[in-house]
Amino acid sequence: KDLEALVERIQAARAGLAEAAKTLDLTETATAFAHPVFGEITRAEWIGAVVFHTERHRLQIESLKRRLG
């Protein structure tokens, strides 16, 4: 049940990003904070990184769910 809640949170976060992408200028540099490895990146690059990162976590959760039954 807790794993399902995590998957739902990931899906909600991605939906929020999709909505933000509709209204923001994605070519602008994200200024709230720099990426720890790449430094300043655009909003589009941040969204891509977050989608990739959260997908990795989603797959880890799905793997745990299968192993736990």
mmCIF file of all heavy atoms in Angstrom, residues 15-57:
data_model
loop_
_atom_site.group_PDB
_atom_site.id
_atom_site.type_symbol
_atom_site.label_atom_id
_atom_site.label_comp_id
_atom_site.label_asym_id
_atom_site.label_seq_id
_atom_site.Cartn_x
_atom_site.Cartn_y
_atom_site.Cartn_z
ATOM 1 N N ALA A 15 2.406 14.769 -13.636
ATOM 2 C CA ALA A 15 1.259 15.490 -14.190
ATOM 3 C C ALA A 15 1.414 16.986 -13.942
ATOM 4 O O ALA A 15 1.101 17.811 -14.814
ATOM 5 C CB ALA A 15 -0.040 14.973 -13.563
ATOM 6 N N GLY A 16 1.920 17.348 -12.766
ATOM 7 C CA GLY A 16 2.169 18.746 -12.465
ATOM 8 C C GLY A 16 3.209 19.348 -13.392
ATOM 9 O O GLY A 16 3.072 20.489 -13.844
ATOM 10 N N LEU A 17 4.237 18.589 -13.697
ATOM 11 C CA LEU A 17 5.252 19.057 -14.642
ATOM 12 C C LEU A 17 4.659 19.257 -16.032
ATOM 13 O O LEU A 17 4.972 20.238 -16.717
ATOM 14 C CB LEU A 17 6.407 18.053 -14.731
ATOM 15 C CG LEU A 17 7.389 18.041 -13.584
ATOM 16 C CD1 LEU A 17 8.384 16.899 -13.756
ATOM 17 C CD2 LEU A 17 8.118 19.369 -13.487
ATOM 18 N N ALA A 18 3.810 18.337 -16.442
ATOM 19 C CA ALA A 18 3.174 18.452 -17.761
ATOM 20 C C ALA A 18 2.329 19.716 -17.842
ATOM 21 O O ALA A 18 2.341 20.422 -18.857
ATOM 22 C CB ALA A 18 2.326 17.212 -18.060
ATOM 23 N N GLU A 19 1.607 20.031 -16.767
ATOM 24 C CA GLU A 19 0.798 21.246 -16.738
ATOM 25 C C GLU A 19 1.687 22.487 -16.774
ATOM 26 O O GLU A 19 1.405 23.441 -17.480
ATOM 27 C CB GLU A 19 -0.104 21.267 -15.503
ATOM 28 C CG GLU A 19 -1.308 20.370 -15.631
ATOM 29 C CD GLU A 19 -2.189 20.721 -16.820
ATOM 30 O OE1 GLU A 19 -2.546 21.909 -16.981
ATOM 31 O OE2 GLU A 19 -2.513 19.815 -17.601
ATOM 32 N N ALA A 20 2.752 22.474 -15.995
ATOM 33 C CA ALA A 20 3.671 23.616 -15.969
ATOM 34 C C ALA A 20 4.303 23.828 -17.339
ATOM 35 O O ALA A 20 4.484 24.961 -17.788
ATOM 36 C CB ALA A 20 4.748 23.401 -14.912
ATOM 37 N N ALA A 21 4.612 22.743 -18.012
ATOM 38 C CA ALA A 21 5.250 22.832 -19.331
ATOM 39 C C ALA A 21 4.349 23.514 -20.354
ATOM 40 O O ALA A 21 4.840 24.084 -21.338
ATOM 41 C CB ALA A 21 5.645 21.438 -19.811
ATOM 42 N N LYS A 22 3.047 23.485 -20.125
ATOM 43 C CA LYS A 22 2.112 24.125 -21.057
ATOM 44 C C LYS A 22 2.154 25.648 -20.974
ATOM 45 O O LYS A 22 1.800 26.331 -21.926
ATOM 46 C CB LYS A 22 0.680 23.654 -20.772
ATOM 47 C CG LYS A 22 0.438 22.205 -21.096
ATOM 48 C CD LYS A 22 -0.984 21.826 -20.709
ATOM 49 C CE LYS A 22 -1.235 20.358 -20.907
ATOM 50 N NZ LYS A 22 -2.588 19.974 -20.456
ATOM 51 N N THR A 23 2.572 26.171 -19.813
ATOM 52 C CA THR A 23 2.488 27.619 -19.614
ATOM 53 C C THR A 23 3.838 28.308 -19.463
ATOM 54 O O THR A 23 3.907 29.529 -19.576
ATOM 55 C CB THR A 23 1.646 27.939 -18.363
ATOM 56 O OG1 THR A 23 2.260 27.335 -17.223
ATOM 57 C CG2 THR A 23 0.226 27.420 -18.515
ATOM 58 N N LEU A 24 4.887 27.565 -19.187
ATOM 59 C CA LEU A 24 6.198 28.172 -18.962
ATOM 60 C C LEU A 24 7.017 28.217 -20.251
ATOM 61 O O LEU A 24 6.858 27.380 -21.132
ATOM 62 C CB LEU A 24 6.980 27.369 -17.918
ATOM 63 C CG LEU A 24 6.421 27.345 -16.510
ATOM 64 C CD1 LEU A 24 7.216 26.366 -15.653
ATOM 65 C CD2 LEU A 24 6.459 28.737 -15.899
ATOM 66 N N ASP A 25 7.914 29.179 -20.315
ATOM 67 C CA ASP A 25 8.889 29.227 -21.399
ATOM 68 C C ASP A 25 9.998 28.246 -21.028
ATOM 69 O O ASP A 25 10.817 28.521 -20.145
ATOM 70 C CB ASP A 25 9.452 30.638 -21.561
ATOM 71 C CG ASP A 25 10.500 30.728 -22.659
ATOM 72 O OD1 ASP A 25 10.853 29.691 -23.262
ATOM 73 O OD2 ASP A 25 10.966 31.858 -22.905
ATOM 74 N N LEU A 26 10.003 27.111 -21.685
ATOM 75 C CA LEU A 26 10.931 26.035 -21.328
ATOM 76 C C LEU A 26 12.359 26.304 -21.775
ATOM 77 O O LEU A 26 13.286 25.599 -21.368
ATOM 78 C CB LEU A 26 10.430 24.699 -21.883
ATOM 79 C CG LEU A 26 9.056 24.267 -21.386
ATOM 80 C CD1 LEU A 26 8.677 22.919 -21.979
ATOM 81 C CD2 LEU A 26 8.987 24.229 -19.871
ATOM 82 N N THR A 27 12.557 27.340 -22.596
ATOM 83 C CA THR A 27 13.915 27.655 -23.034
ATOM 84 C C THR A 27 14.652 28.513 -22.009
ATOM 85 O O THR A 27 15.869 28.663 -22.098
ATOM 86 C CB THR A 27 13.901 28.399 -24.385
ATOM 87 O OG1 THR A 27 13.247 29.659 -24.228
ATOM 88 C CG2 THR A 27 13.201 27.572 -25.453
ATOM 89 N N GLU A 28 13.920 29.052 -21.032
ATOM 90 C CA GLU A 28 14.558 29.882 -20.012
ATOM 91 C C GLU A 28 15.382 29.026 -19.055
ATOM 92 O O GLU A 28 15.037 27.881 -18.768
ATOM 93 C CB GLU A 28 13.509 30.642 -19.205
ATOM 94 C CG GLU A 28 12.881 31.789 -19.948
ATOM 95 C CD GLU A 28 11.985 32.617 -19.051
ATOM 96 O OE1 GLU A 28 12.099 32.532 -17.809
ATOM 97 O OE2 GLU A 28 11.157 33.364 -19.606
ATOM 98 N N THR A 29 16.453 29.607 -18.570
ATOM 99 C CA THR A 29 17.272 28.931 -17.574
ATOM 100 C C THR A 29 16.509 28.899 -16.255
ATOM 101 O O THR A 29 15.931 29.899 -15.837
ATOM 102 C CB THR A 29 18.611 29.678 -17.382
ATOM 103 O OG1 THR A 29 19.299 29.688 -18.628
ATOM 104 C CG2 THR A 29 19.483 29.007 -16.332
ATOM 105 N N ALA A 30 16.510 27.751 -15.621
ATOM 106 C CA ALA A 30 15.881 27.612 -14.305
ATOM 107 C C ALA A 30 16.798 28.294 -13.291
ATOM 108 O O ALA A 30 17.976 27.969 -13.204
ATOM 109 C CB ALA A 30 15.693 26.139 -13.973
ATOM 110 N N THR A 31 16.254 29.243 -12.549
ATOM 111 C CA THR A 31 17.088 30.049 -11.667
ATOM 112 C C THR A 31 16.903 29.755 -10.182
ATOM 113 O O THR A 31 17.623 30.312 -9.352
ATOM 114 C CB THR A 31 16.818 31.551 -11.902
ATOM 115 O OG1 THR A 31 15.425 31.798 -11.693
ATOM 116 C CG2 THR A 31 17.215 31.963 -13.298
ATOM 117 N N ALA A 32 15.957 28.894 -9.834
ATOM 118 C CA ALA A 32 15.712 28.610 -8.417
ATOM 119 C C ALA A 32 16.947 27.970 -7.773
ATOM 120 O O ALA A 32 17.315 28.311 -6.656
ATOM 121 C CB ALA A 32 14.492 27.716 -8.244
ATOM 122 N N PHE A 33 17.567 27.056 -8.481
ATOM 123 C CA PHE A 33 18.815 26.455 -8.024
ATOM 124 C C PHE A 33 19.469 25.738 -9.188
ATOM 125 O O PHE A 33 18.812 25.369 -10.162
ATOM 126 C CB PHE A 33 18.605 25.495 -6.844
ATOM 127 C CG PHE A 33 17.577 24.436 -7.079
ATOM 128 C CD1 PHE A 33 17.924 23.221 -7.631
ATOM 129 C CD2 PHE A 33 16.248 24.648 -6.729
ATOM 130 C CE1 PHE A 33 16.961 22.235 -7.852
ATOM 131 C CE2 PHE A 33 15.283 23.668 -6.937
ATOM 132 C CZ PHE A 33 15.651 22.468 -7.500
ATOM 133 N N ALA A 34 20.763 25.559 -9.079
ATOM 134 C CA ALA A 34 21.528 24.904 -10.152
ATOM 135 C C ALA A 34 21.520 23.390 -9.954
ATOM 136 O O ALA A 34 21.451 22.897 -8.818
ATOM 137 C CB ALA A 34 22.958 25.422 -10.162
ATOM 138 N N HIS A 35 21.611 22.667 -11.055
ATOM 139 C CA HIS A 35 21.750 21.220 -10.994
ATOM 140 C C HIS A 35 23.100 20.916 -10.342
ATOM 141 O O HIS A 35 24.097 21.570 -10.651
ATOM 142 C CB HIS A 35 21.693 20.635 -12.416
ATOM 143 C CG HIS A 35 21.670 19.151 -12.436
ATOM 144 N ND1 HIS A 35 22.806 18.393 -12.294
ATOM 145 C CD2 HIS A 35 20.643 18.282 -12.582
ATOM 146 C CE1 HIS A 35 22.482 17.118 -12.355
ATOM 147 N NE2 HIS A 35 21.182 17.024 -12.520
ATOM 148 N N PRO A 36 23.152 19.935 -9.433
ATOM 149 C CA PRO A 36 24.406 19.681 -8.715
ATOM 150 C C PRO A 36 25.573 19.245 -9.602
ATOM 151 O O PRO A 36 26.727 19.445 -9.236
ATOM 152 C CB PRO A 36 24.039 18.586 -7.709
ATOM 153 C CG PRO A 36 22.728 18.053 -8.147
ATOM 154 C CD PRO A 36 22.068 19.084 -8.998
ATOM 155 N N VAL A 37 25.300 18.688 -10.757
ATOM 156 C CA VAL A 37 26.373 18.237 -11.648
ATOM 157 C C VAL A 37 26.523 19.163 -12.849
ATOM 158 O O VAL A 37 27.629 19.555 -13.204
ATOM 159 C CB VAL A 37 26.119 16.782 -12.129
ATOM 160 C CG1 VAL A 37 27.158 16.347 -13.151
ATOM 161 C CG2 VAL A 37 26.090 15.826 -10.955
ATOM 162 N N PHE A 38 25.408 19.534 -13.470
ATOM 163 C CA PHE A 38 25.443 20.279 -14.724
ATOM 164 C C PHE A 38 25.362 21.792 -14.561
ATOM 165 O O PHE A 38 25.498 22.531 -15.525
ATOM 166 C CB PHE A 38 24.326 19.801 -15.650
ATOM 167 C CG PHE A 38 24.395 18.328 -15.928
ATOM 168 C CD1 PHE A 38 23.398 17.480 -15.489
ATOM 169 C CD2 PHE A 38 25.471 17.790 -16.612
ATOM 170 C CE1 PHE A 38 23.458 16.119 -15.731
ATOM 171 C CE2 PHE A 38 25.553 16.428 -16.862
ATOM 172 C CZ PHE A 38 24.542 15.593 -16.421
ATOM 173 N N GLY A 39 25.119 22.261 -13.343
ATOM 174 C CA GLY A 39 25.010 23.697 -13.118
ATOM 175 C C GLY A 39 23.668 24.229 -13.596
ATOM 176 O O GLY A 39 22.641 23.571 -13.462
ATOM 177 N N GLU A 40 23.696 25.423 -14.164
ATOM 178 C CA GLU A 40 22.457 26.028 -14.640
ATOM 179 C C GLU A 40 21.979 25.331 -15.914
ATOM 180 O O GLU A 40 22.748 25.155 -16.856
ATOM 181 C CB GLU A 40 22.661 27.512 -14.900
ATOM 182 C CG GLU A 40 22.863 28.306 -13.632
ATOM 183 C CD GLU A 40 22.907 29.795 -13.880
ATOM 184 O OE1 GLU A 40 22.938 30.225 -15.050
ATOM 185 O OE2 GLU A 40 22.913 30.534 -12.893
ATOM 186 N N ILE A 41 20.719 24.926 -15.904
ATOM 187 C CA ILE A 41 20.116 24.273 -17.070
ATOM 188 C C ILE A 41 18.747 24.895 -17.316
ATOM 189 O O ILE A 41 18.198 25.582 -16.449
ATOM 190 C CB ILE A 41 20.022 22.729 -16.888
ATOM 191 C CG1 ILE A 41 19.173 22.361 -15.666
ATOM 192 C CG2 ILE A 41 21.406 22.111 -16.780
ATOM 193 C CD1 ILE A 41 18.967 20.861 -15.490
ATOM 194 N N THR A 42 18.210 24.638 -18.493
ATOM 195 C CA THR A 42 16.910 25.209 -18.842
ATOM 196 C C THR A 42 15.788 24.454 -18.130
ATOM 197 O O THR A 42 15.977 23.352 -17.611
ATOM 198 C CB THR A 42 16.641 25.133 -20.357
ATOM 199 O OG1 THR A 42 16.524 23.750 -20.731
ATOM 200 C CG2 THR A 42 17.729 25.821 -21.163
ATOM 201 N N ARG A 43 14.627 25.076 -18.152
ATOM 202 C CA ARG A 43 13.450 24.416 -17.577
ATOM 203 C C ARG A 43 13.177 23.098 -18.289
ATOM 204 O O ARG A 43 12.818 22.101 -17.645
ATOM 205 C CB ARG A 43 12.237 25.328 -17.689
ATOM 206 C CG ARG A 43 12.299 26.529 -16.777
ATOM 207 C CD ARG A 43 11.174 27.480 -17.054
ATOM 208 N NE ARG A 43 11.135 28.577 -16.087
ATOM 209 C CZ ARG A 43 10.415 29.645 -16.246
ATOM 210 N NH1 ARG A 43 9.659 29.800 -17.322
ATOM 211 N NH2 ARG A 43 10.429 30.597 -15.330
ATOM 212 N N ALA A 44 13.331 23.074 -19.598
ATOM 213 C CA ALA A 44 13.102 21.837 -20.357
ATOM 214 C C ALA A 44 14.075 20.745 -19.926
ATOM 215 O O ALA A 44 13.694 19.576 -19.781
ATOM 216 C CB ALA A 44 13.231 22.098 -21.857
ATOM 217 N N GLU A 45 15.327 21.132 -19.705
ATOM 218 C CA GLU A 45 16.319 20.149 -19.263
ATOM 219 C C GLU A 45 15.989 19.635 -17.864
ATOM 220 O O GLU A 45 16.142 18.437 -17.592
ATOM 221 C CB GLU A 45 17.716 20.769 -19.303
ATOM 222 C CG GLU A 45 18.198 21.023 -20.717
ATOM 223 C CD GLU A 45 19.426 21.903 -20.793
ATOM 224 O OE1 GLU A 45 19.584 22.814 -19.947
ATOM 225 O OE2 GLU A 45 20.234 21.687 -21.713
ATOM 226 N N TRP A 46 15.505 20.529 -16.977
ATOM 227 C CA TRP A 46 15.103 20.102 -15.641
ATOM 228 C C TRP A 46 13.953 19.121 -15.722
ATOM 229 O O TRP A 46 13.939 18.090 -15.035
ATOM 230 C CB TRP A 46 14.690 21.295 -14.772
ATOM 231 C CG TRP A 46 15.784 21.786 -13.873
ATOM 232 C CD1 TRP A 46 16.377 23.006 -13.927
ATOM 233 C CD2 TRP A 46 16.416 21.083 -12.797
ATOM 234 N NE1 TRP A 46 17.341 23.094 -12.952
ATOM 235 C CE2 TRP A 46 17.380 21.938 -12.241
ATOM 236 C CE3 TRP A 46 16.255 19.810 -12.263
ATOM 237 C CZ2 TRP A 46 18.189 21.563 -11.164
ATOM 238 C CZ3 TRP A 46 17.057 19.443 -11.189
ATOM 239 C CH2 TRP A 46 18.010 20.312 -10.657
ATOM 240 N N ILE A 47 12.968 19.440 -16.547
ATOM 241 C CA ILE A 47 11.813 18.546 -16.676
ATOM 242 C C ILE A 47 12.261 17.178 -17.178
ATOM 243 O O ILE A 47 11.853 16.146 -16.645
ATOM 244 C CB ILE A 47 10.730 19.166 -17.581
ATOM 245 C CG1 ILE A 47 10.068 20.334 -16.840
ATOM 246 C CG2 ILE A 47 9.694 18.124 -17.999
ATOM 247 C CD1 ILE A 47 9.111 21.139 -17.688
ATOM 248 N N GLY A 48 13.132 17.162 -18.179
ATOM 249 C CA GLY A 48 13.648 15.884 -18.683
ATOM 250 C C GLY A 48 14.379 15.102 -17.607
ATOM 251 O O GLY A 48 14.200 13.881 -17.473
ATOM 252 N N ALA A 49 15.189 15.784 -16.814
ATOM 253 C CA ALA A 49 15.934 15.118 -15.744
ATOM 254 C C ALA A 49 14.990 14.554 -14.684
ATOM 255 O O ALA A 49 15.174 13.431 -14.213
ATOM 256 C CB ALA A 49 16.923 16.092 -15.108
ATOM 257 N N VAL A 50 13.956 15.333 -14.331
ATOM 258 C CA VAL A 50 13.004 14.877 -13.317
ATOM 259 C C VAL A 50 12.207 13.676 -13.831
ATOM 260 O O VAL A 50 12.003 12.699 -13.100
ATOM 261 C CB VAL A 50 12.071 16.026 -12.878
ATOM 262 C CG1 VAL A 50 10.912 15.510 -12.041
ATOM 263 C CG2 VAL A 50 12.860 17.074 -12.123
ATOM 264 N N VAL A 51 11.782 13.731 -15.078
ATOM 265 C CA VAL A 51 11.032 12.602 -15.651
ATOM 266 C C VAL A 51 11.903 11.348 -15.653
ATOM 267 O O VAL A 51 11.464 10.269 -15.241
ATOM 268 C CB VAL A 51 10.517 12.939 -17.065
ATOM 269 C CG1 VAL A 51 10.000 11.707 -17.776
ATOM 270 C CG2 VAL A 51 9.430 14.009 -16.978
ATOM 271 N N PHE A 52 13.144 11.476 -16.105
ATOM 272 C CA PHE A 52 14.054 10.327 -16.119
ATOM 273 C C PHE A 52 14.261 9.791 -14.699
ATOM 274 O O PHE A 52 14.177 8.585 -14.456
ATOM 275 C CB PHE A 52 15.396 10.732 -16.737
ATOM 276 C CG PHE A 52 16.398 9.628 -16.764
ATOM 277 C CD1 PHE A 52 16.360 8.664 -17.753
ATOM 278 C CD2 PHE A 52 17.386 9.545 -15.792
ATOM 279 C CE1 PHE A 52 17.281 7.626 -17.773
ATOM 280 C CE2 PHE A 52 18.310 8.519 -15.802
ATOM 281 C CZ PHE A 52 18.261 7.552 -16.796
ATOM 282 N N HIS A 53 14.520 10.692 -13.768
ATOM 283 C CA HIS A 53 14.798 10.306 -12.385
ATOM 284 C C HIS A 53 13.588 9.623 -11.734
ATOM 285 O O HIS A 53 13.723 8.578 -11.093
ATOM 286 C CB HIS A 53 15.195 11.556 -11.591
ATOM 287 C CG HIS A 53 15.627 11.276 -10.198
ATOM 288 N ND1 HIS A 53 16.892 10.855 -9.888
ATOM 289 C CD2 HIS A 53 14.953 11.362 -9.024
ATOM 290 C CE1 HIS A 53 16.981 10.687 -8.576
ATOM 291 N NE2 HIS A 53 15.822 10.990 -8.024
ATOM 292 N N THR A 54 12.412 10.216 -11.906
ATOM 293 C CA THR A 54 11.226 9.625 -11.284
ATOM 294 C C THR A 54 10.836 8.307 -11.947
ATOM 295 O O THR A 54 10.327 7.411 -11.272
ATOM 296 C CB THR A 54 10.029 10.595 -11.292
ATOM 297 O OG1 THR A 54 9.756 11.004 -12.627
ATOM 298 C CG2 THR A 54 10.294 11.802 -10.414
ATOM 299 N N GLU A 55 11.095 8.173 -13.229
ATOM 300 C CA GLU A 55 10.815 6.901 -13.903
ATOM 301 C C GLU A 55 11.705 5.802 -13.323
ATOM 302 O O GLU A 55 11.256 4.671 -13.118
ATOM 303 C CB GLU A 55 11.013 7.022 -15.411
ATOM 304 C CG GLU A 55 10.726 5.755 -16.174
ATOM 305 C CD GLU A 55 9.292 5.258 -16.087
ATOM 306 O OE1 GLU A 55 8.401 5.963 -15.586
ATOM 307 O OE2 GLU A 55 9.052 4.120 -16.529
ATOM 308 N N ARG A 56 12.943 6.137 -13.048
ATOM 309 C CA ARG A 56 13.854 5.167 -12.436
ATOM 310 C C ARG A 56 13.296 4.713 -11.089
ATOM 311 O O ARG A 56 13.271 3.525 -10.782
ATOM 312 C CB ARG A 56 15.233 5.800 -12.260
ATOM 313 C CG ARG A 56 16.235 4.893 -11.610
ATOM 314 C CD ARG A 56 17.627 5.523 -11.663
ATOM 315 N NE ARG A 56 18.545 4.737 -10.903
ATOM 316 C CZ ARG A 56 18.972 5.039 -9.673
ATOM 317 N NH1 ARG A 56 18.552 6.136 -9.095
ATOM 318 N NH2 ARG A 56 19.806 4.271 -9.045
ATOM 319 N N HIS A 57 12.828 5.663 -10.297
ATOM 320 C CA HIS A 57 12.247 5.299 -9.000
ATOM 321 C C HIS A 57 10.968 4.480 -9.169
ATOM 322 O O HIS A 57 10.740 3.534 -8.420
ATOM 323 C CB HIS A 57 11.953 6.545 -8.168
ATOM 324 C CG HIS A 57 13.186 7.160 -7.593
ATOM 325 N ND1 HIS A 57 14.036 6.498 -6.748
ATOM 326 C CD2 HIS A 57 13.719 8.395 -7.749
ATOM 327 C CE1 HIS A 57 15.025 7.275 -6.401
ATOM 328 N NE2 HIS A 57 14.868 8.446 -7.002
#
